[in-house]
Amino acid sequence: MDFNYRCSICSTTYEITPDLTVCPDCSRSQQTDQPLTGILEVELRGTIDRSYSISDLLPIEPAYFPAIPVGNTPLWEPENLRNSSGFRRLYIKDDGSNPTASFKDRASYLVSAAARKFNIEDITLASTGNAGSSMAGVGAAAGQRVTLFLPKTAPAAKLVQALQYGARVFRVNGNYDMAYDLSLAFSKRKGGLNRNTAYNPLTIEGKKTVSLEICQQLNQAPDLLFVSVGDGCILSGVYKGFRDLVQLGVIPSVPHIIGVQAETSDALHRAYISGSFEKLPTSTVADSICVDVPRNGIHALAMLRKFNGEMMTVSDAQIIQAQSYLSSSTGLFTEPASAAAFAGFQKAAPRLDPDALVVVLTTGNGLKDSTSATLGIQVPKTLIDTVDDIL
Ligand SMILES: *Cc1c(COP(=O)(O)O)cnc(C)c1O
């Protein structure tokens, strides 16, 4: 298999090199407060046989993969949910079971491998929390130096996790969008590899592995997939995996994908309706999908249009309810951003075919943000001394 970059806007092709991020031509028209323009995609050239392995479809050779077991996450068959919802073929792809407990490991893994291949030891990024703790953990396994810019509101567990892995962490006096801009300014001055989501083309490429795994685990493509959306990089990654499999003749067509955002942080959803991106200050309990300017918005929107995908929103109350319902009915405890995908399924279920093969992608472990998780439960207030107190 051969690989190159191709600009998603002007179709110019480029060799895969570490200094290339967005398309040099198209990014000249980049406007402030707008999603990135000129996102580069990895293009595959070649064929595969039946016994292909996922690494055959990745542009960095397995020899460079760090020694940390990313991916191969379980596909749950949630019996209670199947019974209660009537969807007999409902699955949950649990990416919170990745080594640093979020989906982001898929991108970090490929970026880390690329840095190794090109002999780069420094990796910089901005993150709402998960991408940062992920890069810190994967970078630790690879012996790389990770510099992380976090918004001031990042949940404590994600900050602690990144520091535990030995990353250098800067806490930004502002939100994720500000952290993003500062990390780019830092990278421009200090060099090294920047892993910012979508800006580094290997983030989308790494994220595609989830679709490849789902198709291997099901031995077919799903009919429908629910994905929570912030920057829209997971969404594009999920599309990329299915598109590659269509190109290679493994599956007949790209499945129907439903992107789910929080009602109060719904930039891509709004653009899906209006056709343009408008920067509005947003907030939601689902911190990992709290994004004012979805960095991969233009590309994600193009994918949704091309493959007839959908965007929908759920309220914070629905997210909190979905989180505790998922925990108590399946044993899978996910963070709010991750529960948003399930909340989307719950909201959409009445209009869906219950015989459809549905996969809900969960993206982060619930322990990542235990403060938000207390919103959906009753924490006992009184302390007891003897069992007589309760019997
Ligand atoms: C990052 C993240 C998302 C959203 O991914 P985007 O690529 O920003 O759309 C969803 N859930 C969790 C847990 C995340 O960390």
Side-chain angles (χ1 to χ4, degrees), residues 11-33:
S11 296
T12 306
T13 59
Y14 301 93
E15 191 188 329
I16 297 178
T17 57
D19 47 317
L20 197 57
T21 51
V22 284
C23 173
D25 282 338
C26 295
S27 62
R28 269 191 225 118
S29 59
Q30 178 69 48
Q31 292 172 305
T32 50
D33 293 346

Side-chain angles (χ1 to χ4, degrees), residues 102 104 130 197 207 228-235 288-289 335 337-338 363-364:
S102 88
K104 299 293 194 290
N130 280 340
T197 198
K207 289 176 177 189
S228 58
V229 175
D231 278 311
C233 191
I234 296 183
L235 190 71
S288 301
I289 51 171
E335 66 167 276
S338 176
T363 43

Side-chain angles (χ1 to χ4, degrees), residues 6-299:
R6 178 183 287 276
C7 175
S8 58
I9 306 274
C10 71
S11 296
T12 306
T13 59
Y14 301 93
E15 191 188 329
I16 297 178
T17 57
D19 47 317
L20 197 57
T21 51
V22 284
C23 173
D25 282 338
C26 295
S27 62
R28 269 191 225 118
S29 59
Q30 178 69 48
Q31 292 172 305
T32 50
D33 293 346
Q34 284 292 306
L36 292 168
T37 183
I39 297 289
L40 298 180
E41 294 180 340
V42 173
E43 183 175 49
L44 280 63
R45 280 174 291 114
T47 53
I48 49 170
D49 53 40
R50 258 169 215 286
S51 59
Y52 76 95
S53 68
I54 285 176
S55 60
D56 298 341
L57 275 57
L58 292 174
I60 307 292
E61 297 76 2
Y64 300 105
F65 294 166
I68 181 168
V70 169
N72 292 314
T73 57
L75 189 66
W76 293 43
E77 302 187 27
E79 195 182 326
N80 295 334
L81 275 185
R82 286 180 170 185
N83 291 337
S84 61
S85 68
F87 284 71
R88 302 299 315 158
R89 299 199 294 159
L90 174 67
Y91 292 85
I92 300 173
K93 177 69 169 167
D94 174 28
D95 256 58
S97 67
N98 270 300
T100 79
S102 88
F103 183 99
K104 299 293 194 290
D105 286 353
R106 295 184 184 274
S108 302
Y109 194 56
L110 195 62
V111 169
S112 173
R116 279 182 137 185
K117 175 169 177 168
F118 297 114
N119 289 313
I120 298 170
E121 281 170 6
D122 281 282
I123 301 176
T124 298
L125 77 159
S127 164
T128 60
N130 280 340
S133 47
S134 168
M135 192 68 249
V138 173
Q144 291 156 336
R145 277 190 301 268
V146 175
T147 303
L148 168 60
F149 294 78
L150 277 185
K152 65 178 171 197
T153 51
K158 299 179 184 181
L159 169 69
V160 169
Q161 219 188 341
L163 291 166
Q164 269 287 338
Y165 292 134
R168 178 160 61 143
V169 178
F170 295 109
R171 300 178 70 196
V172 170
N173 189 17
N175 63 7
Y176 170 57
D177 298 81
M178 182 175 170
Y180 200 99
D181 294 340
L182 293 188
S183 75
L184 283 187
F186 180 87
S187 283
K188 284 200 175 115
R189 298 255 281 269
K190 299 291 276 187
L193 205 64
N194 186 291
R195 181 225 178 269
N196 278 10
T197 198
Y199 180 72
N200 185 320
L202 297 179
T203 54
I204 292 178
E205 188 66 7
K207 289 176 177 189
K208 82 177 183 184
T209 55
V210 74
S211 303
L212 307 181
E213 285 177 19
I214 289 171
C215 290
Q216 282 193 339
Q217 287 167 311
L218 292 171
N219 220 359
Q220 68 180 101
D223 297 320
L224 194 57
L225 184 70
F226 284 86
V227 182
S228 58
V229 175
D231 278 311
C233 191
I234 296 183
L235 190 71
S236 284
V238 163
Y239 271 119
K240 180 60 163 55
F242 291 128
R243 289 162 61 209
D244 282 356
L245 292 180
V246 171
Q247 178 190 323
L248 295 166
V250 178
I251 60 171
S253 60
V254 171
H256 188 64
I257 295 176
I258 301 185
V260 186
Q261 290 199 292
E263 242 166 51
T264 47
S265 189
D266 66 336
L268 187 62
H269 175 252
R270 279 184 278 116
Y272 174 76
I273 294 165
S274 72
S276 64
F277 289 91
E278 187 191 4
K279 183 179 179 177
L280 293 178
T282 66
S283 70
T284 165
V285 65
D287 67 287
S288 301
I289 51 171
C290 186
V291 171
D292 296 352
V293 179
R295 299 297 162 161
N296 192 48
I298 294 172
H299 188 262

